[in-house]
Amino acid sequence: MHGMVGRACTAGLVIGVLVTGLTGCTGDAGGDGDGKAEACADGTYTWSDVRREQRLTALADPIRFKKKTGAYTSRLKPLGETVYRPSVTGAPEGVGAAGVIKALGRHLKAEEPLAGPSDTERPEDDHFFESATGTHQGAYYAWAAIDLVDADFTHICGGGEPVKGHVRTWEGTGAGFLPCSVPSDETAGRLAAQRTCPAGSEAAKGA
């Protein structure tokens, strides 16, 4: 995102199946019952129906500069009260939610770790965006967003039965700030322009 706050990734669409071999299963870890979880801490994932969605989470009021302004701070107002928390259903024994999310990150070749089980993203009333990169004049728009990712998986370890599950997490959060003469290349940015830029502006027409 333009003027990224925190991690942010470009939204897109990935559909497909990829088998990712990890370090392999170790077999029986001693036969005492506790070794089964350890033996299946590694395995093979098949990922399917991987979906990315960028969601607008906060928006600034319409921004208008009547004269040239070199620096600006905009308050981003939360849109709704949704609290985002990563979730994993069907996590294999010995792997856990954190292990599944890390495996998804490897599959996506994510530059930063995906949000883990202990992470939370909630609306913030004191979320601000600052810009000091040039001389601003005219109409601008600013927003914040979260880059969600959902995926189904099948995990196989040794000769055991396949375990099927689902992951919902996010790749990052961020914020953007652009003149209304410039359309955003992001889903959240286009929605922000549609709501706050003057009708007929390039950003509003591109929404």
PDB file of all heavy atoms in Angstrom, residues 9-42:
ATOM      1  N   CYS A   9       0.496  -6.518   1.818  1.00  0.00           N
ATOM      2  CA  CYS A   9       0.802  -7.273   0.619  1.00  0.00           C
ATOM      3  C   CYS A   9      -0.234  -6.937  -0.433  1.00  0.00           C
ATOM      4  O   CYS A   9      -1.365  -6.599  -0.124  1.00  0.00           O
ATOM      5  CB  CYS A   9       0.774  -8.783   0.895  1.00  0.00           C
ATOM      6  SG  CYS A   9       1.947  -9.304   2.146  1.00  0.00           S
ATOM      7  N   THR A  10       0.146  -7.060  -1.677  1.00  0.00           N
ATOM      8  CA  THR A  10      -0.777  -6.761  -2.754  1.00  0.00           C
ATOM      9  C   THR A  10      -1.847  -7.829  -2.820  1.00  0.00           C
ATOM     10  O   THR A  10      -1.556  -9.019  -2.812  1.00  0.00           O
ATOM     11  CB  THR A  10      -0.030  -6.710  -4.099  1.00  0.00           C
ATOM     12  OG1 THR A  10       0.990  -5.738  -4.012  1.00  0.00           O
ATOM     13  CG2 THR A  10      -0.993  -6.376  -5.219  1.00  0.00           C
ATOM     14  N   ALA A  11      -3.092  -7.389  -2.876  1.00  0.00           N
ATOM     15  CA  ALA A  11      -4.182  -8.344  -2.957  1.00  0.00           C
ATOM     16  C   ALA A  11      -4.205  -8.973  -4.327  1.00  0.00           C
ATOM     17  O   ALA A  11      -3.901  -8.353  -5.329  1.00  0.00           O
ATOM     18  CB  ALA A  11      -5.515  -7.646  -2.682  1.00  0.00           C
ATOM     19  N   GLY A  12      -4.623 -10.240  -4.378  1.00  0.00           N
ATOM     20  CA  GLY A  12      -4.687 -10.913  -5.657  1.00  0.00           C
ATOM     21  C   GLY A  12      -5.527 -12.159  -5.517  1.00  0.00           C
ATOM     22  O   GLY A  12      -6.228 -12.339  -4.538  1.00  0.00           O
ATOM     23  N   LEU A  13      -5.441 -13.063  -6.456  1.00  0.00           N
ATOM     24  CA  LEU A  13      -6.224 -14.276  -6.428  1.00  0.00           C
ATOM     25  C   LEU A  13      -5.327 -15.438  -6.794  1.00  0.00           C
ATOM     26  O   LEU A  13      -4.661 -15.413  -7.813  1.00  0.00           O
ATOM     27  CB  LEU A  13      -7.389 -14.190  -7.430  1.00  0.00           C
ATOM     28  CG  LEU A  13      -8.300 -15.411  -7.503  1.00  0.00           C
ATOM     29  CD1 LEU A  13      -8.997 -15.602  -6.160  1.00  0.00           C
ATOM     30  CD2 LEU A  13      -9.325 -15.251  -8.605  1.00  0.00           C
ATOM     31  N   VAL A  14      -5.304 -16.431  -5.927  1.00  0.00           N
ATOM     32  CA  VAL A  14      -4.502 -17.614  -6.194  1.00  0.00           C
ATOM     33  C   VAL A  14      -5.417 -18.810  -6.078  1.00  0.00           C
ATOM     34  O   VAL A  14      -6.039 -19.028  -5.041  1.00  0.00           O
ATOM     35  CB  VAL A  14      -3.345 -17.756  -5.181  1.00  0.00           C
ATOM     36  CG1 VAL A  14      -2.577 -19.031  -5.459  1.00  0.00           C
ATOM     37  CG2 VAL A  14      -2.422 -16.559  -5.264  1.00  0.00           C
ATOM     38  N   ILE A  15      -5.543 -19.582  -7.118  1.00  0.00           N
ATOM     39  CA  ILE A  15      -6.358 -20.787  -7.094  1.00  0.00           C
ATOM     40  C   ILE A  15      -5.499 -21.931  -7.615  1.00  0.00           C
ATOM     41  O   ILE A  15      -4.939 -21.847  -8.687  1.00  0.00           O
ATOM     42  CB  ILE A  15      -7.614 -20.633  -7.966  1.00  0.00           C
ATOM     43  CG1 ILE A  15      -8.463 -19.444  -7.468  1.00  0.00           C
ATOM     44  CG2 ILE A  15      -8.422 -21.913  -7.970  1.00  0.00           C
ATOM     45  CD1 ILE A  15      -9.676 -19.176  -8.309  1.00  0.00           C
ATOM     46  N   GLY A  16      -5.424 -22.995  -6.853  1.00  0.00           N
ATOM     47  CA  GLY A  16      -4.625 -24.113  -7.322  1.00  0.00           C
ATOM     48  C   GLY A  16      -4.309 -25.063  -6.199  1.00  0.00           C
ATOM     49  O   GLY A  16      -4.718 -24.878  -5.067  1.00  0.00           O
ATOM     50  N   VAL A  17      -3.553 -26.071  -6.519  1.00  0.00           N
ATOM     51  CA  VAL A  17      -3.171 -27.084  -5.557  1.00  0.00           C
ATOM     52  C   VAL A  17      -1.672 -27.276  -5.640  1.00  0.00           C
ATOM     53  O   VAL A  17      -1.127 -27.399  -6.726  1.00  0.00           O
ATOM     54  CB  VAL A  17      -3.886 -28.425  -5.849  1.00  0.00           C
ATOM     55  CG1 VAL A  17      -3.434 -29.487  -4.871  1.00  0.00           C
ATOM     56  CG2 VAL A  17      -5.399 -28.245  -5.775  1.00  0.00           C
ATOM     57  N   LEU A  18      -1.029 -27.271  -4.504  1.00  0.00           N
ATOM     58  CA  LEU A  18       0.406 -27.480  -4.474  1.00  0.00           C
ATOM     59  C   LEU A  18       0.729 -28.424  -3.339  1.00  0.00           C
ATOM     60  O   LEU A  18       0.272 -28.248  -2.220  1.00  0.00           O
ATOM     61  CB  LEU A  18       1.149 -26.153  -4.262  1.00  0.00           C
ATOM     62  CG  LEU A  18       2.669 -26.266  -4.148  1.00  0.00           C
ATOM     63  CD1 LEU A  18       3.240 -26.726  -5.480  1.00  0.00           C
ATOM     64  CD2 LEU A  18       3.280 -24.940  -3.751  1.00  0.00           C
ATOM     65  N   VAL A  19       1.492 -29.443  -3.606  1.00  0.00           N
ATOM     66  CA  VAL A  19       1.931 -30.364  -2.569  1.00  0.00           C
ATOM     67  C   VAL A  19       3.295 -29.913  -2.099  1.00  0.00           C
ATOM     68  O   VAL A  19       4.228 -29.809  -2.896  1.00  0.00           O
ATOM     69  CB  VAL A  19       2.014 -31.810  -3.106  1.00  0.00           C
ATOM     70  CG1 VAL A  19       2.528 -32.732  -2.025  1.00  0.00           C
ATOM     71  CG2 VAL A  19       0.645 -32.260  -3.590  1.00  0.00           C
ATOM     72  N   THR A  20       3.389 -29.634  -0.798  1.00  0.00           N
ATOM     73  CA  THR A  20       4.632 -29.149  -0.229  1.00  0.00           C
ATOM     74  C   THR A  20       5.180 -30.203   0.717  1.00  0.00           C
ATOM     75  O   THR A  20       4.603 -30.462   1.765  1.00  0.00           O
ATOM     76  CB  THR A  20       4.405 -27.842   0.555  1.00  0.00           C
ATOM     77  OG1 THR A  20       3.806 -26.900  -0.332  1.00  0.00           O
ATOM     78  CG2 THR A  20       5.709 -27.301   1.086  1.00  0.00           C
ATOM     79  N   GLY A  21       6.275 -30.804   0.379  1.00  0.00           N
ATOM     80  CA  GLY A  21       6.899 -31.789   1.251  1.00  0.00           C
ATOM     81  C   GLY A  21       7.723 -31.096   2.307  1.00  0.00           C
ATOM     82  O   GLY A  21       8.558 -30.263   1.993  1.00  0.00           O
ATOM     83  N   LEU A  22       7.488 -31.434   3.552  1.00  0.00           N
ATOM     84  CA  LEU A  22       8.284 -30.876   4.626  1.00  0.00           C
ATOM     85  C   LEU A  22       9.392 -31.868   4.944  1.00  0.00           C
ATOM     86  O   LEU A  22       9.969 -32.468   4.066  1.00  0.00           O
ATOM     87  CB  LEU A  22       7.381 -30.562   5.828  1.00  0.00           C
ATOM     88  CG  LEU A  22       6.231 -29.576   5.479  1.00  0.00           C
ATOM     89  CD1 LEU A  22       5.392 -29.324   6.712  1.00  0.00           C
ATOM     90  CD2 LEU A  22       6.766 -28.278   4.936  1.00  0.00           C
ATOM     91  N   THR A  23       9.695 -32.087   6.199  1.00  0.00           N
ATOM     92  CA  THR A  23      10.828 -32.949   6.511  1.00  0.00           C
ATOM     93  C   THR A  23      10.443 -34.414   6.574  1.00  0.00           C
ATOM     94  O   THR A  23      11.285 -35.260   6.825  1.00  0.00           O
ATOM     95  CB  THR A  23      11.435 -32.530   7.858  1.00  0.00           C
ATOM     96  OG1 THR A  23      10.429 -32.627   8.874  1.00  0.00           O
ATOM     97  CG2 THR A  23      11.937 -31.108   7.782  1.00  0.00           C
ATOM     98  N   GLY A  24       9.136 -34.693   6.392  1.00  0.00           N
ATOM     99  CA  GLY A  24       8.721 -36.095   6.370  1.00  0.00           C
ATOM    100  C   GLY A  24       8.394 -36.595   7.756  1.00  0.00           C
ATOM    101  O   GLY A  24       8.768 -36.023   8.764  1.00  0.00           O
ATOM    102  N   CYS A  25       7.644 -37.677   7.810  1.00  0.00           N
ATOM    103  CA  CYS A  25       7.260 -38.253   9.097  1.00  0.00           C
ATOM    104  C   CYS A  25       8.354 -39.185   9.593  1.00  0.00           C
ATOM    105  O   CYS A  25       9.051 -39.809   8.823  1.00  0.00           O
ATOM    106  CB  CYS A  25       5.947 -39.015   8.946  1.00  0.00           C
ATOM    107  SG  CYS A  25       4.608 -37.944   8.386  1.00  0.00           S
ATOM    108  N   THR A  26       8.439 -39.279  10.899  1.00  0.00           N
ATOM    109  CA  THR A  26       9.531 -40.033  11.484  1.00  0.00           C
ATOM    110  C   THR A  26       9.139 -41.444  11.874  1.00  0.00           C
ATOM    111  O   THR A  26       9.950 -42.190  12.390  1.00  0.00           O
ATOM    112  CB  THR A  26      10.042 -39.309  12.741  1.00  0.00           C
ATOM    113  OG1 THR A  26       8.965 -39.175  13.676  1.00  0.00           O
ATOM    114  CG2 THR A  26      10.555 -37.922  12.379  1.00  0.00           C
ATOM    115  N   GLY A  27       7.822 -41.775  11.676  1.00  0.00           N
ATOM    116  CA  GLY A  27       7.405 -43.109  12.068  1.00  0.00           C
ATOM    117  C   GLY A  27       7.130 -43.163  13.548  1.00  0.00           C
ATOM    118  O   GLY A  27       6.938 -42.166  14.220  1.00  0.00           O
ATOM    119  N   ASP A  28       7.118 -44.348  14.133  1.00  0.00           N
ATOM    120  CA  ASP A  28       6.833 -44.523  15.547  1.00  0.00           C
ATOM    121  C   ASP A  28       7.955 -43.920  16.366  1.00  0.00           C
ATOM    122  O   ASP A  28       9.119 -44.206  16.166  1.00  0.00           O
ATOM    123  CB  ASP A  28       6.708 -46.028  15.845  1.00  0.00           C
ATOM    124  CG  ASP A  28       6.165 -46.281  17.242  1.00  0.00           C
ATOM    125  OD1 ASP A  28       6.017 -45.303  17.991  1.00  0.00           O
ATOM    126  OD2 ASP A  28       5.891 -47.452  17.538  1.00  0.00           O
ATOM    127  N   ALA A  29       7.575 -43.053  17.314  1.00  0.00           N
ATOM    128  CA  ALA A  29       8.575 -42.370  18.122  1.00  0.00           C
ATOM    129  C   ALA A  29       8.810 -43.059  19.444  1.00  0.00           C
ATOM    130  O   ALA A  29       9.278 -42.457  20.389  1.00  0.00           O
ATOM    131  CB  ALA A  29       8.142 -40.922  18.354  1.00  0.00           C
ATOM    132  N   GLY A  30       8.451 -44.306  19.553  1.00  0.00           N
ATOM    133  CA  GLY A  30       8.769 -45.003  20.794  1.00  0.00           C
ATOM    134  C   GLY A  30       7.666 -45.905  21.272  1.00  0.00           C
ATOM    135  O   GLY A  30       7.860 -46.704  22.183  1.00  0.00           O
ATOM    136  N   GLY A  31       6.449 -45.739  20.694  1.00  0.00           N
ATOM    137  CA  GLY A  31       5.368 -46.638  21.015  1.00  0.00           C
ATOM    138  C   GLY A  31       4.770 -46.416  22.392  1.00  0.00           C
ATOM    139  O   GLY A  31       4.066 -47.274  22.892  1.00  0.00           O
ATOM    140  N   ASP A  32       5.023 -45.259  23.031  1.00  0.00           N
ATOM    141  CA  ASP A  32       4.463 -45.042  24.352  1.00  0.00           C
ATOM    142  C   ASP A  32       3.176 -44.224  24.301  1.00  0.00           C
ATOM    143  O   ASP A  32       2.657 -43.807  25.319  1.00  0.00           O
ATOM    144  CB  ASP A  32       5.483 -44.321  25.246  1.00  0.00           C
ATOM    145  CG  ASP A  32       5.932 -42.992  24.662  1.00  0.00           C
ATOM    146  OD1 ASP A  32       5.430 -42.608  23.583  1.00  0.00           O
ATOM    147  OD2 ASP A  32       6.783 -42.349  25.290  1.00  0.00           O
ATOM    148  N   GLY A  33       2.636 -43.969  23.105  1.00  0.00           N
ATOM    149  CA  GLY A  33       1.396 -43.225  22.994  1.00  0.00           C
ATOM    150  C   GLY A  33       1.638 -41.743  22.801  1.00  0.00           C
ATOM    151  O   GLY A  33       0.930 -41.083  22.080  1.00  0.00           O
ATOM    152  N   ASP A  34       2.643 -41.197  23.471  1.00  0.00           N
ATOM    153  CA  ASP A  34       2.935 -39.778  23.330  1.00  0.00           C
ATOM    154  C   ASP A  34       3.723 -39.499  22.047  1.00  0.00           C
ATOM    155  O   ASP A  34       3.770 -38.373  21.588  1.00  0.00           O
ATOM    156  CB  ASP A  34       3.751 -39.271  24.526  1.00  0.00           C
ATOM    157  CG  ASP A  34       2.938 -39.310  25.809  1.00  0.00           C
ATOM    158  OD1 ASP A  34       1.697 -39.225  25.722  1.00  0.00           O
ATOM    159  OD2 ASP A  34       3.550 -39.455  26.870  1.00  0.00           O
ATOM    160  N   GLY A  35       4.347 -40.519  21.497  1.00  0.00           N
ATOM    161  CA  GLY A  35       5.188 -40.324  20.321  1.00  0.00           C
ATOM    162  C   GLY A  35       4.397 -40.067  19.060  1.00  0.00           C
ATOM    163  O   GLY A  35       4.932 -39.545  18.101  1.00  0.00           O
ATOM    164  N   LYS A  36       3.111 -40.407  19.049  1.00  0.00           N
ATOM    165  CA  LYS A  36       2.321 -40.235  17.835  1.00  0.00           C
ATOM    166  C   LYS A  36       2.249 -38.778  17.423  1.00  0.00           C
ATOM    167  O   LYS A  36       2.375 -38.443  16.253  1.00  0.00           O
ATOM    168  CB  LYS A  36       0.926 -40.805  18.042  1.00  0.00           C
ATOM    169  CG  LYS A  36       0.068 -40.736  16.783  1.00  0.00           C
ATOM    170  CD  LYS A  36      -1.282 -41.373  16.993  1.00  0.00           C
ATOM    171  CE  LYS A  36      -2.122 -41.295  15.740  1.00  0.00           C
ATOM    172  NZ  LYS A  36      -3.458 -41.891  15.940  1.00  0.00           N
ATOM    173  N   ALA A  37       2.031 -37.885  18.406  1.00  0.00           N
ATOM    174  CA  ALA A  37       1.957 -36.466  18.100  1.00  0.00           C
ATOM    175  C   ALA A  37       3.284 -35.965  17.549  1.00  0.00           C
ATOM    176  O   ALA A  37       3.328 -35.192  16.605  1.00  0.00           O
ATOM    177  CB  ALA A  37       1.574 -35.669  19.344  1.00  0.00           C
ATOM    178  N   GLU A  38       4.386 -36.421  18.140  1.00  0.00           N
ATOM    179  CA  GLU A  38       5.693 -36.006  17.659  1.00  0.00           C
ATOM    180  C   GLU A  38       5.953 -36.533  16.259  1.00  0.00           C
ATOM    181  O   GLU A  38       6.507 -35.843  15.412  1.00  0.00           O
ATOM    182  CB  GLU A  38       6.774 -36.499  18.612  1.00  0.00           C
ATOM    183  CG  GLU A  38       6.693 -35.889  20.008  1.00  0.00           C
ATOM    184  CD  GLU A  38       7.762 -36.445  20.922  1.00  0.00           C
ATOM    185  OE1 GLU A  38       8.629 -37.191  20.411  1.00  0.00           O
ATOM    186  OE2 GLU A  38       7.738 -36.155  22.117  1.00  0.00           O
ATOM    187  N   ALA A  39       5.514 -37.781  16.012  1.00  0.00           N
ATOM    188  CA  ALA A  39       5.771 -38.388  14.708  1.00  0.00           C
ATOM    189  C   ALA A  39       5.066 -37.642  13.591  1.00  0.00           C
ATOM    190  O   ALA A  39       5.548 -37.602  12.476  1.00  0.00           O
ATOM    191  CB  ALA A  39       5.313 -39.847  14.725  1.00  0.00           C
ATOM    192  N   CYS A  40       3.918 -37.024  13.880  1.00  0.00           N
ATOM    193  CA  CYS A  40       3.161 -36.331  12.848  1.00  0.00           C
ATOM    194  C   CYS A  40       3.299 -34.817  12.939  1.00  0.00           C
ATOM    195  O   CYS A  40       2.463 -34.087  12.435  1.00  0.00           O
ATOM    196  CB  CYS A  40       1.691 -36.738  12.907  1.00  0.00           C
ATOM    197  SG  CYS A  40       1.413 -38.387  12.192  1.00  0.00           S
ATOM    198  N   ALA A  41       4.329 -34.358  13.585  1.00  0.00           N
ATOM    199  CA  ALA A  41       4.582 -32.925  13.612  1.00  0.00           C
ATOM    200  C   ALA A  41       4.992 -32.430  12.237  1.00  0.00           C
ATOM    201  O   ALA A  41       4.880 -31.247  11.931  1.00  0.00           O
ATOM    202  CB  ALA A  41       5.670 -32.604  14.628  1.00  0.00           C
ATOM    203  N   ASP A  42       5.497 -33.327  11.398  1.00  0.00           N
ATOM    204  CA  ASP A  42       5.825 -33.009  10.010  1.00  0.00           C
ATOM    205  C   ASP A  42       4.967 -33.881   9.107  1.00  0.00           C
ATOM    206  O   ASP A  42       4.444 -34.893   9.508  1.00  0.00           O
ATOM    207  CB  ASP A  42       7.305 -33.268   9.720  1.00  0.00           C
ATOM    208  CG  ASP A  42       8.217 -32.409  10.584  1.00  0.00           C
ATOM    209  OD1 ASP A  42       7.932 -31.209  10.698  1.00  0.00           O
ATOM    210  OD2 ASP A  42       9.178 -32.951  11.147  1.00  0.00           O
TER     211      ASP A  42
END
